[in-house]
Amino acid sequence: MFKFESVSELERFKKTTTFNDFHTQKPHIFVGLLESFGGVAVKHEEVLGELKTRFYGGVGGDFGDKFGDDKFDKNDKNSYLSNGDFTFLNFFASQDGTMSSFMELFFNSPIKQIPHSKFKKKRLNYTPFEPFLQHGYDVVFITPGKRKWQNLGEYFEIYGVKTIDFDDICAKFDIPANLINTYGTSDIYGYKMALDVLKNAKKPVMIIFLSVSNHPPFVEFDDFVKTEKEKDLVKNLIKNGDKKPFNAFVYSANSLAFFLKNMPTETLVFVSGDHYNRDFHYTEQPVQFATPLLVHLPPFFLEKVHFDAKRVGFHKDIFATLSELVLPKGSQYFSVGGRNIFAKTIDKADEMVVTPFISVKNGKIFQNSKIYSSKFDEKGFLKFDGKGENGECDFCNDFTEKNIKQINARIFE
């Protein structure tokens, strides 16, 4: 049984920003948790629709020439990084479900039940968005889903975070009945609402976004299965050869592409999947559990970041990176295992991934009591190199224990 971490010992998780000494601008921030945005799906460019160019452009274009360590070149107007898009293919959700990933990402909590438990009125200290509130940001939670889901709307209120949900969106937009289901309405209307918030903002805004379109029961979207290759993909990649998951994925990707195309220039974007896609056929390879991270940086960041497409990461890195990029140098933030993925150098002790399904450290992949060497496939996704050896993930157990202790301390402080 885990002992409670003392409140004083929470100090070990406090970090001080060292990166941002180069600008005083506060960009708008958009952090999106995308339903089922998984590696098995996005490995096939056809499911990305209008997002394809930005997504794979962010990896580095031609894999053979560009994959690896690179940096923005302000003198090269044709640089593949010049549009500010960066994609980390080998990025993983911290947990195995929407709510569990949501709580880890936005509340540093491995306990997903808090918003509808006896602690639902407890305002936790050290949330990832807290430093941004302290530095003058409005934080808004937007979802085309419903605020009552997992009691998130009410829970956000105790943090001073406004919720915009299905009801607000329906009041603003004329939505066809066929684009409404059990969970809410289609992502495109959530993104349109986000654009409206950014357009009318009087101060810097951080938007926390949760998508729903890629979740069953699927509504009847347009049919994107047209070419023979797309028909073969549906037949061979999706369970039961059902077109609905394919169409929902393309629709959701197109909706994100619409937002990226129309958002204000000075908007910083981090989006990743909430968990792997369960409607696509299972593979034992690490790509099964990948939830790739797509980042867009405003122009004034580009000369200062260091991009290495080979870096692995997980959700804990998102707010660690945001804090280093945006908060003034010397600011404090709270991080359990996260690090700035754009740092020029990363301490090997900090470079790790810990998830319920797969963990990664120092080029080794840990899965089901096996330890594998790793390499990259032709697209840039991690894969096993060899059969692996029996072994346990000691750093995973250490991370999990510390993570549980810190949330217990924060609940009972």
Side-chain angles (χ1 to χ4, degrees), residues 5 108 192 207 246 343:
E5 194 88 345
N108 279 326
K192 286 182 177 181
I207 291 176
F246 184 97

Side-chain angles (χ1 to χ4, degrees), residues 180-196:
I180 295 175
N181 70 2
T182 305
Y183 284 94
T185 187
S186 301
D187 290 348
I188 188 65
Y189 295 103
Y191 287 120
K192 286 182 177 181
M193 184 64 87
L195 291 172
D196 186 71

Side-chain angles (χ1 to χ4, degrees), residues 98-99 102 146-153 183 210:
T98 302
M99 187 57 180
F102 192 94
K146 300 175 181 179
R147 62 182 288 118
K148 291 183 179 180
W149 183 78
Q150 303 288 345
N151 199 39
L152 280 178
Y183 284 94
L210 179 64

Side-chain angles (χ1 to χ4, degrees), residues 347-358:
D347 188 331
K348 286 296 182 184
D350 294 333
E351 190 171 17
M352 65 177 182
V353 167
V354 181
T355 83
F357 301 109
I358 192 169

Side-chain angles (χ1 to χ4, degrees), residues 46 221-227 230 246-248 250-251 254:
E46 289 77 14
F221 296 116
D222 292 340
D223 188 358
F224 297 103
V225 184
K226 300 185 182 302
T227 69
E230 289 163 349
F246 184 97
N247 289 333
V250 176
Y251 180 91
N254 287 349

Side-chain angles (χ1 to χ4, degrees), residues 163-351:
T163 294
I164 297 175
D165 78 332
F166 170 77
D167 290 335
D168 303 296
I169 292 169
C170 286
K172 187 172 182 64
F173 301 106
D174 185 15
I175 302 174
N178 68 304
L179 293 182
I180 295 175
N181 70 2
T182 305
Y183 284 94
T185 187
S186 301
D187 290 348
I188 188 65
Y189 295 103
Y191 287 120
K192 286 182 177 181
M193 184 64 87
L195 291 172
D196 186 71
V197 169
L198 293 174
K199 177 183 177 181
N200 294 295
K202 304 300 183 184
K203 58 190 296 190
V205 174
M206 170 183 282
I207 291 176
I208 293 171
F209 188 90
L210 179 64
S211 77
V212 299
S213 285
N214 210 17
H215 194 293
F218 301 109
V219 303
E220 292 292 338
F221 296 116
D222 292 340
D223 188 358
F224 297 103
V225 184
K226 300 185 182 302
T227 69
E228 288 303 315
K229 186 173 183 179
E230 289 163 349
K231 292 176 183 178
D232 287 342
L233 275 176
V234 169
K235 179 180 178 181
N236 298 317
L237 189 63
I238 300 177
K239 295 174 182 178
N240 302 318
D242 186 359
K243 291 196 295 185
K244 287 183 179 179
F246 184 97
N247 289 333
F249 205 107
V250 176
Y251 180 91
S252 185
N254 287 349
S255 299
L256 174 57
F258 171 85
F259 172 79
L260 294 172
K261 181 179 179 180
N262 292 283
M263 67 185 180
T265 303
E266 308 303 324
T267 306
L268 195 160
V269 176
F270 276 64
V271 293
S272 178
D274 58 349
H275 53 72
Y276 72 90
N277 194 299
R278 298 172 180 139
D279 294 295
F280 288 68
H281 283 305
Y282 187 88
T283 170
E284 292 291 341
Q285 291 291 343
V287 67
Q288 172 68 36
F289 306 110
T291 54
L293 173 69
L294 176 60
V295 177
H296 176 80
L297 300 181
F300 51 79
F301 287 105
L302 297 181
E303 294 182 46
K304 299 294 182 179
V305 297
H306 185 84
F307 176 59
D308 182 350
K310 287 184 178 179
R311 280 184 176 161
V312 299
F314 70 142
H315 280 176
K316 293 295 186 182
D317 298 329
I318 290 177
F319 271 93
T321 304
L322 279 169
S323 296
E324 292 286 352
L325 288 177
V326 177
L327 299 179
K329 188 175 182 179
S331 302
Q332 277 201 333
Y333 64 98
F334 189 87
S335 180
V336 185
R339 83 280 195 231
N340 177 11
I341 55 174
F342 286 116
K344 187 171 182 61
T345 58
I346 295 177
D347 188 331
K348 286 296 182 184
D350 294 333
E351 190 171 17

